[in-house]
Amino acid sequence: MRTQVGIIGAGPAGLMLSHLLHRQGIESVVLEAHTRQYVEQRVRAGVLEQNTTELLIETGVGARLQKEGLVHRGIELSFAGERHRIDFQDLIGRSITVYGQQEVIKDLIAARVTAGGQIYFEARGISLEGLDGPTPAIRFEADGERRELHCDFIAGCDGSHGISRASIPEGALQTFERIYPFAWLGILAEAPPASEEIIYTYHERGFALFSMRSPQITRLYLQCAPDEDIALWPDERIWQELHTRMGTRDGWRPSEGPILQKGVTGVRSLVTEPMQYGRLFLAGDSAHIVPPTGAKGMNLAIADVRVLAKGLAAFYASGSRKLLDEYSTTCLSRVWKVQRFSWWMTSMLHRCDTGDGFDHRRQLAELDYVTSSRAAAASLAENYVGLPMEGTTPRANTCEIVR
Ligand SMILES: Cc1cc2nc3c(=O)[nH]c(=O)nc-3n(C[C@H](O)[C@H](O)[C@H](O)COP(=O)(O)OP(=O)(O)OC[C@H]3O[C@@H](n4cnc5c(N)ncnc54)[C@H](O)[C@@H]3O)c2cc1C
């Protein structure tokens, strides 16, 4: 088999890359280890930066997003029993959209299938060959047959546990990592969201996050130990803890409902440098992980493939490798700014006990500052809504684009 770009992984990075390449007349084949149903049901992120929303709409995969996405003009920070609003609209004139990652995946798969794009689900035993030569290849097994896919380039979009990063020879990459001493216990509950906006809570017992995926489904998180045993968290204990941490003096608390899903996710930062080796390009979680506090993982994955698609389009149009050679440098400049923001949000909002109360008081002071200084609030807003993509200028807010 032969294609121009072989893509490993049908997550947001892999599918969006395939979609963008198709729009430039470049052929690709996507290889995914799981079934279509599995990837379409996998609940993960749900906050779209304005950049991401605009790209989905502008490239023709935003119709359902425009109907079902929830436009948020701000977020709330809650501490010491009070909620404080960060008004994105007022501060920077931009906004975010809440739309589940699994919905983005469904829309992208539908677009690829309609356009006749090739996606092999349940592709097994993938291995990469000849990465530093002119014709790399991917060996894999699908529909009970061993296959070999020859490509001009390979995009490793297979997440943090994929094989792409691991296929690069030892010593060719540098990894920067920070593992935080806590994790998130997350639930999905069948309960209409008790607030229209996302609420980040700092409490003496730890961080808590109130979010939503639709007008019927609430998504909630609690800071917990990295090795937390989910079996020790029956539903009543989860609700009690959520009410204790999130309840404010005005009587607000999240509304309860049947818990549809629960799980514990570690919190870590990781950056791989460079993000390319020979004809292999890493994109999304295969190259970097951000703590979920800044809601950036999926957005960063999409930002990477935007850069990669542009580089590949330039190569096929003119033979120039300039943009491809600059791929890592261009992406890493954004990746590190996003890491900084995600680390900052994480450090401000999680309990990380040193035992002497210093950090607790510093964090309260920081929250007080962010919610009382227009300059500090605007900095949070600018990063949360999404820094402009290289070569673009920020545009009107999402409300006008979506509605
Ligand atoms: C459990 C979890 C919860 C998360 N929750 C949040 C959240 O609440 N908020 C937030 O902002 N971000 C969250 N994230 C982060 C966000 O979902 C990711 O940053 C985003 O999915 C990255 O997209 P990606 O395409 O790079 O990788 P992925 O979405 O991981 O996609 C990679 C794809 O590659 C496939 N794959 C892996 N290995 C192979 C292989 N060997 N061969 C073929 N295919 C392979 C995988 O099945 C997957 O479909 C979460 C991540 C995880 C893992």
Side-chain angles (χ1 to χ4, degrees):
M1 295 165 65
R2 202 190 132 75
T3 191
Q4 288 174 298
V5 183
I7 300 175
I8 325 266
L15 291 167
M16 182 50 111
L17 178 63
S18 180
H19 173 64
L20 293 176
L21 293 178
H22 168 70
R23 286 173 54 84
Q24 299 282 344
I26 301 166
E27 195 190 87
S28 66
V29 174
V30 179
L31 305 176
E32 165 59 47
H34 289 100
T35 63
R36 176 173 179 175
Q37 192 193 16
Y38 179 87
V39 297
E40 288 188 342
Q41 302 301 327
R42 193 166 44 189
V43 176
R44 287 185 170 177
V47 172
L48 305 189
E49 285 182 356
Q50 187 167 320
N51 299 311
T52 307
T53 303
E54 283 170 8
L55 184 69
L56 289 166
I57 293 171
E58 283 164 11
T59 62
V61 281
R64 214 156 56 83
L65 162 69
Q66 283 176 286
K67 268 197 232 110
E68 298 170 22
L70 308 170
V71 177
H72 285 204
R73 295 170 174 80
I75 55 167
E76 291 193 303
L77 297 181
S78 172
F79 58 97
E82 304 280 349
R83 295 200 310 280
H84 306 258
R85 187 152 188 270
I86 305 289
D87 189 331
F88 298 157
Q89 187 62 43
D90 172 49
L91 291 161
I92 55 162
R94 286 163 69 76
S95 48
I96 53 161
T97 307
V98 172
Y99 188 65
Q101 178 170 325
Q102 74 279 13
E103 306 305 326
V104 174
I105 295 292
K106 282 180 205 157
D107 296 342
L108 286 169
I109 291 178
R112 291 308 299 123
V113 169
T114 306
Q118 285 192 75
I119 308 176
Y120 283 89
F121 291 101
E122 296 184 87
R124 299 291 149 106
I126 295 183
S127 63
L128 310 185
E129 317 281 332
L131 296 177
D132 44 9
T135 50
I138 309 172
R139 295 218 172 98
F140 68 104
E141 198 181 306
D143 308 322
E145 267 179 52
R146 286 297 301 167
R147 293 163 196 256
E148 197 164 303
L149 175 65
H150 295 268
C151 331
D152 297 333
F153 299 98
I154 298 177
C157 303
D158 46 353
S160 56
H161 304 293
I163 47 96
S164 300
R165 192 173 62 216
S167 304
I168 296 175
E170 215 169 300
L173 299 181
Q174 229 186 328
T175 301
F176 301 89
E177 187 170 23
R178 172 144 308 176
I179 296 174
Y180 299 82
F182 40 75
W184 281 19
L185 190 163
I187 65 161
L188 203 60
E190 199 176 340
S195 161
E196 282 186 4
E197 290 181 345
I198 296 170
I199 305 171
Y200 286 83
T201 299
Y202 174 73
H203 188 272
E204 283 183 17
R205 293 177 63 84
F207 167 73
L209 175 62
F210 170 90
S211 182
M212 65 292 293
R213 288 295 177 266
S214 74
Q216 295 79 35
I217 303 288
T218 306
R219 182 91 163 130
L220 298 141
Y221 296 95
L222 288 167
Q223 177 184 348
C224 63
D227 56 352
E228 195 74 52
D229 181 0
I230 194 80
L232 299 176
W233 287 85
D235 296 2
E236 314 76 65
R237 183 177 172 205
I238 293 177
W239 287 118
Q240 194 181 20
E241 191 63 26
L242 285 165
H243 290 163
T244 304
R245 293 191 198 180
M246 290 183 169
T248 41
R249 269 200 278 283
D250 58 7
W252 185 88
R253 47 169 49 197
S255 40
E256 292 190 18
I259 295 182
L260 307 172
Q261 223 183 69
K262 55 179 145 175
V264 172
T265 311
V267 179
R268 68 181 176 132
S269 298
L270 181 137
V271 181
T272 303
E273 290 188 10
M275 289 168 56
Q276 63 200 90
Y277 174 79
R279 292 202 164 218
L280 169 67
F281 295 85
L282 303 178
D285 278 16
S286 76
H288 40 68
I289 305 288
V290 283
T293 329
K296 290 287 171 228
M298 172 172 48
N299 294 298
L300 207 47
I302 302 270
D304 286 350
V305 298
R306 236 172 134 142
V307 176
L308 185 53
K310 210 167 146 189
L312 289 166
F315 174 82
Y316 284 111
S318 68
S320 164
R321 279 198 63 139
K322 183 176 180 295
L323 294 183
L324 287 177
D325 291 343
E326 290 169 358
Y327 171 72
S328 291
T329 315
T330 307
C331 289
L332 285 167
S333 146
R334 183 179 190 85
V335 167
W336 276 111
K337 288 187 196 102
V338 168
Q339 279 294 2
R340 181 210 69 81
F341 174 67
S342 304
W343 164 85
W344 174 74
M345 286 282 281
T346 304
S347 314
M348 177 170 71
L349 289 160
H350 289 73
R351 274 320 295 270
C352 195
D353 240 333
T354 44
D356 60 6
F358 182 93
D359 281 323
H360 177 53
R361 282 162 180 75
R362 176 191 57 77
Q363 285 168 276
L364 286 173
E366 181 128 35
L367 284 158
D368 189 17
Y369 173 58
V370 168
T371 52
S372 59
S373 153
R374 191 172 171 87
S379 167
L380 190 161
E382 184 182 38
N383 283 276
Y384 199 94
V385 165
L387 297 171
M389 286 299 301
E390 214 203 30
T392 67
T393 33
R395 291 219 318 248
N397 75 70
T398 318
C399 321
E400 285 158 30
I401 299 163
V402 172
R403 299 287 163 219

